[in-house]
């Protein structure tokens, strides 16, 4: 019943302490075992070295994780140790994030954007230094480097995917609003926007053009069969003009710039400038995207070729565009039903594929750097924004759990995964996979601070996974606004402590949203099916039932209005 009030009497119920939390046989329950382990000397520090930038940052953030049973705790520790290997001062005095694996340096498509944005919750100083790396190496004509390595910046392609302005804005909000940082990045991004307008709209469509394969980072993708890997002569302003199909008006590049401009408008307003020119440019980019690249029949975005035709390759371009906040809620739901949650489309055994499974050009080989079919860690780390932007928390949780399972079973953090089995493929110590794992744990069964000041306590615990990926219980710790929070959860219940004092209890399958004032603001249904239970806050208990994606507002001790959008389930 959308929009109606929930009724149900609140009652004061005893909130059991750790020492009293025993089952009917007198045994400590898994939830309380996990909390005890989290508080033990063995879990009191970070798996990273205390003198390393990551170890110091994790200690400052108070981040910790523990699990009872299974391999998740060991894998979390491995993730932290290997993330430490991806952070070093390879280009200047400050430690910055590198891509990891076989990629020695920072790439704007990933390292400097979505990877750094996730890292901002764990090591914010490293994120800021990584962002500044790209601004500091801006070319005189306004081109931002597509990568920075120990050998210096690279400019042979643009390689943009996640909007940098969004990552910068979120970091700014999350870390105390450093205006000097914001101004420095804004000026660099404005210069890059002007460069793109001058050099990447040669056909005057208003879209952004791809000149080569590496402009979008789509190595081996059939999207770029017959197209050179790099721009002509390594010059990002040139393409092979003997190819009649070039340049391509690229939907992912165009969506990137549209979203980038909308966030540049926010930043301009914050800096006291007029946001309207940026909003107008963003609207123009969105118009070009729909006009040039959208196919009504297939409900997909395709490249517009030089001769006017469409390059009909069903690829992860769809998710890239959606992650740039293109389309309304109804459009996103339709994309889920038609493509993303279709087992013949993009939904693999674990994760989302880079080419549709039923495309005859699909190639599952995950042993190499390939966007021709395998699940890529970068696709997965980009996915939360697309889903959460439209309130699709339950679908995102269902997508994340098989990936958590795959990584728990894996012996490394790879770039590519076999779409049929979830087994690890190409490379290791790859920061997007490492950060995706840390993000997925925090987003499903941890404590996640949001740029808007909210704090999420999530209870989609990994207690129903297969094999040694399954935990009996997990516990998570984080310090936020000077308060230390601890969350412990098993297969039935989730509990939260605030500075050591019992505070919240709720059933598995819910998320509690806490506002900037530290009070419970709402409850969200994370499970795909309805979950009934009681929300207990400081001993006051209220019965609730939430279907997947339901959001129930909480006002003091009482539930308020409910928003319901339903759940899109996978189809085979």
């Amino acid at each position: 019943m959308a929009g109606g009030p929930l009724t149900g009497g609140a009652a004061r119920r005893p909130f059991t302490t750790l020492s009293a939390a025993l089952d009917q046989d007198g045994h400590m329950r898994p939830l309380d075992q996990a909390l005890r382990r989290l508080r033990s000397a063995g879990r009191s520090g970070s798996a990273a070295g205390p003198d390393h930038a990551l170890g110091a940052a994790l200690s400052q953030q108070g981040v910790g994780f523990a699990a009872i049973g299974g391999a998740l705790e060991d894998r979390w520790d491995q993730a932290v140790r290997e993330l430490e290997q991806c952070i070093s001062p390879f280009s200047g005095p400050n430690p910055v994030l590198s891509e990891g694996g076989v990629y020695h340096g920072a790439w704007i498509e990933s390292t400097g954007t979505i990877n750094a944005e996730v890292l901002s919750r764990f090591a914010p100083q490293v994120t800021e230094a990584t962002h500044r790396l790209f601004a500091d190496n801006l070319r005189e004509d306004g081109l931002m480097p597509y990568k920075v390595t120990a050998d210096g910046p690279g400019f042979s392609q643009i390689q943009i995917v996640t909007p940098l302005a969004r990552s910068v804005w979120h970091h700014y909000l999350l870390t105390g609003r450093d205006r000097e940082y914001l101004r420095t990045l804004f000026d660099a991004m404005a210069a890059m926007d002007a460069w793109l307008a001058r050099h990447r709209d040669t056909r005057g469509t208003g879209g952004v053009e791809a000149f080569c394969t590496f402009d979008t980072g789509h190595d081996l993708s059939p999207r770029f069969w017959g197209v050179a890997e790099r721009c002509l002569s390594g010059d990002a302003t040139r393409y092979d003009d003997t190819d009649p199909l070039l340049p391509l008006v690229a939907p992912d590049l165009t969506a990137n710039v549209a979203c980038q401009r909308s966030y540049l408008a926010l930043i301009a307003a914050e800096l006291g400038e007029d946001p309207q020119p940026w909003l107008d440019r963003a609207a123009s980019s969105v118009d070009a995207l729909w006009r040039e690249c959208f196919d009504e029949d297939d409900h997909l975005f395709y490249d517009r070729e030089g001769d006017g035709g469409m390059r009909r390759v069903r690829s992860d371009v769809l998710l890239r565009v959606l992650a740039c906040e293109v389309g309304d809620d109804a459009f996103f739901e339709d994309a889920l039903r038609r493509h993303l949650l279709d087992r013949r489309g993009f939904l693999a055994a674990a994760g989302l594929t880079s080419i549709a499974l039923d495309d005859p050009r699909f190639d599952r080989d995950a042993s190499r750097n390939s966007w021709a079919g395998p699940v890529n860690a970068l696709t997965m780390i980009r996915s939360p924004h697309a889903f959460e932007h439209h309130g699709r928390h339950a679908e995102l949780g269902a997508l994340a759990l098989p990936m958590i399972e795959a990584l728990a079973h894996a012996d490394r953090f790879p770039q590519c995964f076999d779409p049929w089995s979830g087994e690890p493929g190409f490379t290791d110590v790859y920061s997007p996979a490492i950060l995706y794992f840390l993000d997925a744990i925090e987003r499903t069964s941890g404590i996640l601070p949001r740029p808007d000041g909210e704090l999420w306590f999530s209870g989609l615990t990994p207690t129903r996974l297969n094999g040694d990926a399954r935990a009996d219980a997990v516990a998570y710790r984080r310090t936020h606004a000077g308060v230390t929070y601890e969350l412990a959860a098993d297969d039935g219940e989730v509990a939260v402590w605030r500075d050591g004092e019992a505070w919240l209890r709720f059933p598995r399958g819910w998320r509690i949203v806490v506002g900037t004032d530290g009070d419970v603001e709402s409850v969200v249904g994370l499970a795909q099916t309805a979950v009934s239970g009681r929300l207990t806050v400081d001993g006051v208990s209220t019965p609730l039932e939430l279907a997947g994606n339901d959001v129930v507002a909480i006002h003091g001790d009482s539930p308020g209005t409910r928003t319901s959008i339903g759940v899109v389930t996978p189809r085979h």
Side-chain angles (χ1 to χ4, degrees):
M1 185 175 64
L6 270 181
T7 58
R12 184 164 294 278
R13 293 164 61 89
F15 197 154
T16 52
T17 64
L18 177 62
S19 60
L22 305 177
D23 64 20
Q24 60 185 359
D25 297 321
H27 300 124
M28 184 177 287
R29 298 172 304 174
L31 176 157
D32 300 292
Q33 293 177 40
L35 179 64
R36 175 166 288 185
R37 176 152 181 79
L38 181 69
R39 291 175 172 177
S40 68
R43 305 302 299 167
S44 61
S46 165
D51 297 328
H52 189 274
L54 179 62
L58 290 176
S59 178
Q60 185 177 16
Q61 304 294 323
V63 172
F65 175 75
I68 301 299
L72 281 177
E73 184 177 289
D74 287 344
R75 195 65 67 243
W76 194 89
D77 288 348
Q78 180 184 349
V80 171
R81 289 193 303 271
E82 293 189 1
L83 182 58
E84 183 180 53
Q85 297 176 44
C86 297
I87 296 172
S88 66
F90 66 80
S91 180
N94 297 315
V96 295
L97 181 64
S98 67
E99 190 75 353
V102 301
Y103 308 101
H104 305 299
W107 269 250
I108 192 64
E109 109 176 86
S110 48
T111 328
T113 49
I114 190 59
N115 301 1
E117 183 173 341
V118 172
L119 184 65
S120 187
R121 304 199 309 266
F122 300 96
Q125 297 90 343
V126 178
T127 289
E128 180 175 328
T130 305
H131 284 162
R132 288 182 183 273
L133 192 65
F134 291 93
D136 291 346
N137 284 280
L138 190 76
R139 206 166 68 180
E140 193 172 297
D141 65 350
L143 177 60
M144 192 169 283
Y146 80 90
K147 71 173 181 179
V148 180
T149 71
D151 296 326
F155 296 100
S156 59
Q157 64 248 20
I158 56 174
Q159 205 160 338
I160 52 175
V161 181
T162 298
L164 175 60
R166 187 173 69 203
S167 297
V168 167
W169 180 244
H170 286 171
H171 176 77
Y172 171 77
L173 295 180
L174 195 62
T175 58
R177 295 177 179 255
D178 181 344
R179 291 176 69 86
E180 183 277 327
Y181 155 81
L182 193 66
R183 167 56 70 182
T184 297
L185 269 294
F186 176 79
D187 289 346
M189 292 184 293
M192 177 63 171
D193 184 86
W195 187 95
L196 288 169
R198 287 196 306 272
H199 298 290
R200 289 305 184 99
D201 185 20
T202 64
R203 290 157 57 188
T205 64
V208 181
E209 295 163 347
F211 288 0
C212 65
T213 302
F214 291 167
D215 271 342
T216 67
H218 268 128
D219 303 59
L220 299 184
S221 172
R223 176 188 184 190
F224 286 101
W225 283 356
V227 177
E229 291 183 336
R230 297 187 185 276
C231 296
L232 187 64
S233 303
D235 181 349
T237 68
R238 302 179 65 198
Y239 62 91
D240 182 359
D241 58 7
T242 65
D243 185 339
L245 301 183
L246 289 181
L248 304 173
V249 181
D252 43 353
L253 299 182
T254 304
N256 170 283
V257 168
C259 191
Q260 177 90 348
R261 288 171 166 176
S262 68
Y263 279 87
L264 285 171
L266 289 174
I267 296 171
E270 180 75 3
L271 294 173
E273 299 183 8
D274 183 5
Q276 195 58 49
W278 290 110
L279 293 172
D280 293 343
R281 292 169 196 155
S284 177
S285 295
V286 171
D287 288 345
L289 172 68
W290 290 105
R291 183 179 64 251
E292 298 293 327
C293 300
F294 185 64
D295 184 273
E296 291 278 359
D297 294 333
D298 294 348
H299 205 264
L300 284 168
F301 296 93
Y302 298 124
D303 296 303
R304 178 72 69 178
E305 296 175 328
D307 65 354
M310 279 190 158
R311 185 160 293 208
R312 297 180 183 277
V313 178
R314 295 166 60 212
S315 73
D316 71 298
V317 162
L318 173 62
L319 185 66
R320 292 183 176 198
V321 171
L322 294 171
C324 288
E325 305 175 14
V326 171
D328 59 14
D329 292 346
F331 182 82
F332 187 78
E333 180 177 343
D334 196 56
L336 292 178
R337 295 186 187 280
R338 289 180 184 234
H339 304 294
L340 295 178
L341 298 186
D342 184 350
R343 295 287 188 189
R344 299 185 183 189
F346 294 95
L347 186 58
L352 298 170
T353 60
S354 44
I355 294 291
L357 288 151
D358 62 358
D359 189 301
R361 294 160 292 195
F362 171 83
D363 178 3
R364 66 178 283 207
D365 183 4
S367 67
R368 54 190 177 162
N369 171 16
S370 173
W371 290 84
V375 173
N376 270 259
L378 276 173
T379 296
M380 301 313 300
I381 199 173
R382 291 166 181 155
S383 61
H385 191 86
F387 281 71
E388 290 172 351
H389 186 66
H390 299 282
R392 293 292 170 178
H393 306 281
E395 291 88 345
L396 180 64
L399 184 65
L401 289 178
M403 286 300 299
I404 292 174
E405 179 177 312
L407 283 163
H409 287 150
D411 60 350
R412 62 188 182 278
F413 290 94
Q415 173 187 331
C416 298
F417 299 82
D418 187 309
W420 293 357
S421 67
E423 293 178 355
F426 180 68
T427 204
D428 60 0
V429 196
Y430 186 57
S431 70
I434 295 167
L435 286 161
Y436 172 73
F437 179 75
L438 295 175
D439 177 83
I441 291 291
E442 190 165 85
R443 202 173 290 273
T444 57
S445 54
I447 305 166
L448 190 153
R450 298 283 296 169
D452 59 8
E454 289 181 348
L455 200 58
W456 288 0
F457 298 85
S458 299
L460 195 63
T461 48
T463 51
R464 302 182 185 183
L465 306 182
N466 294 306
D468 65 357
R470 184 182 69 82
D472 296 324
V474 296
Y476 202 90
R477 179 181 59 245
R478 178 178 274 282
T479 298
H480 180 73
V483 178
T484 296
Y485 296 94
E486 298 163 308
L487 177 151
D490 55 27
D491 196 54
E493 191 174 29
V494 185
V496 178
W497 286 259
R498 186 168 55 182
D499 281 338
E501 297 294 325
W503 180 38
L504 305 175
R505 282 193 187 272
F506 55 96
R508 181 188 188 275
W510 290 2
R511 168 182 290 150
I512 307 303
V513 177
V514 172
T516 56
D517 58 1
D519 293 334
V520 174
E521 192 172 86
S522 61
V523 186
V524 180
L526 291 187
Q528 291 185 289
T529 55
V531 175
S532 300
R534 305 185 75 90
L535 169 63
T536 300
V537 183
D538 284 329
V540 178
S541 182
T542 304
L544 295 170
E545 178 175 324
L546 279 84
N549 296 320
D550 277 7
V551 180
V552 176
I554 301 295
H555 305 291
D557 296 337
S558 304
T561 56
R562 176 195 295 261
T563 302
S564 300
I565 61 173
V567 176
V568 178
T569 53
R571 288 292 179 265
H572 286 71

